[in-house]
Amino acid sequence: MSKVVAIMSISLDGYVADPNDGVAEVFDWYMSSGDVEFHTGGSDPMTFKVSPSSAVHLRALWSELGAVLTGRRTFDVAQGWGGNHAWGPAFVVTHQIPAGWPRPNSTVHFVTDGIESAAKQAKAAAGGKSVGVHGADTIQQLLNAGLLDEIHVDIAAVLLGSGVRLFDHLVGTPAVLGNPTAIAGVGVTHVRYPVRKA
Ligand SMILES: NC(=O)c1ccc[n+]([C@@H]2O[C@H](COP(=O)([O-])OP(=O)(O)OC[C@H]3O[C@@H](n4cnc5c(N)ncnc54)[C@H](OP(=O)(O)O)[C@@H]3O)[C@@H](O)[C@H]2O)c1
């Protein structure tokens, strides 16, 4: 069954980007935590250079994914991933479809009728695989609506002090999560929690 999985790199003090939407510090482990190359695919491909344990972790996680769900700010910051996200078809929640989109030969879709509709469409498009979610606001809405199955955080060994927080604006707290699994990388720890549904 298709799961909805939040996947974010985060500083130890809870930020997913700095005050200017910069992710250099929390994404540093992707770029220079080892010598193992990991090729992302998609139409804006990148090559990560990670430790052996992070490479094992990335291969397993990415092979589970068949679609992506994000917020409009993440789409904007990522410049629309060149039109095709590496995880599969992308569903972007927004109040207004950006000028020039949707584009021919692109698998990026815009959802203007709410988070529930976006989750439903992304799950249907994932072909039985899971939906990876990016974007702090978007993840909070999914959690608040009971639509998130797992939280996966790559905890970077950095304290940012300020920026975009992952877990602002939660309702229904305290929310006790399921038992975590953890993989130690270099400069990062990969931790995955099941979300307990009410
Ligand atoms: N560390 C990581 O792994 C990672 C990964 C991805 C992104 N990021 C960072 O995270 C930040 C983006 O996260 P964010 O929380 O600021 O924003 P976000 O979740 O990416 O996008 C929020 C925006 O999406 C639209 N939206 C959200 N819910 C909606 C709904 N139900 N209906 C219609 N539109 C809706 C709204 O934009 P409109 O009103 O304009 O349509 C809203 O302002 C950036 O700084 C980015 O660099 C970090």
Side-chain angles (χ1 to χ4, degrees), residues 7-92:
I7 301 171
M8 295 291 275
S9 286
I10 187 170
S11 66
L12 182 58
D13 54 345
Y15 297 96
V16 296
D18 69 23
N20 302 313
D21 291 320
V23 290
E25 290 93 346
V26 291
F27 278 4
D28 189 53
W29 70 272
Y30 279 120
M31 307 307 164
S32 60
S33 65
D35 292 329
V36 184
E37 294 195 343
F38 181 91
H39 304 286
T40 64
S43 55
D44 204 0
M46 299 175 74
T47 299
F48 301 149
K49 292 200 74 180
V50 298
S51 66
S53 58
S54 287
V56 168
H57 148 74
L58 279 174
R59 283 188 207 111
L61 179 64
W62 285 43
S63 70
E64 291 175 26
L65 304 173
V68 55
L69 167 53
T70 80
R72 172 67 186 274
R73 294 196 67 239
T74 295
F75 164 87
D76 287 342
V77 170
Q79 299 178 325
W81 315 283
N84 294 284
H85 195 285
W87 296 344
F91 294 82
V92 180

Side-chain angles (χ1 to χ4, degrees), residues 74-140:
T74 295
F75 164 87
D76 287 342
V77 170
Q79 299 178 325
W81 315 283
N84 294 284
H85 195 285
W87 296 344
F91 294 82
V92 180
V93 278
T94 185
H95 292 98
Q96 190 159 15
I97 296 173
W101 293 85
R103 294 184 178 165
N105 305 318
S106 166
T107 49
V108 178
H109 309 277
F110 298 91
V111 181
T112 56
D113 59 349
I115 198 74
E116 200 164 330
S117 172
K120 195 172 168 189
Q121 291 182 52
K123 283 171 95 163
K129 292 186 158 190
S130 293
V131 176
V133 188
H134 265 165
D137 175 44
T138 305
I139 288 166
Q140 290 155 31

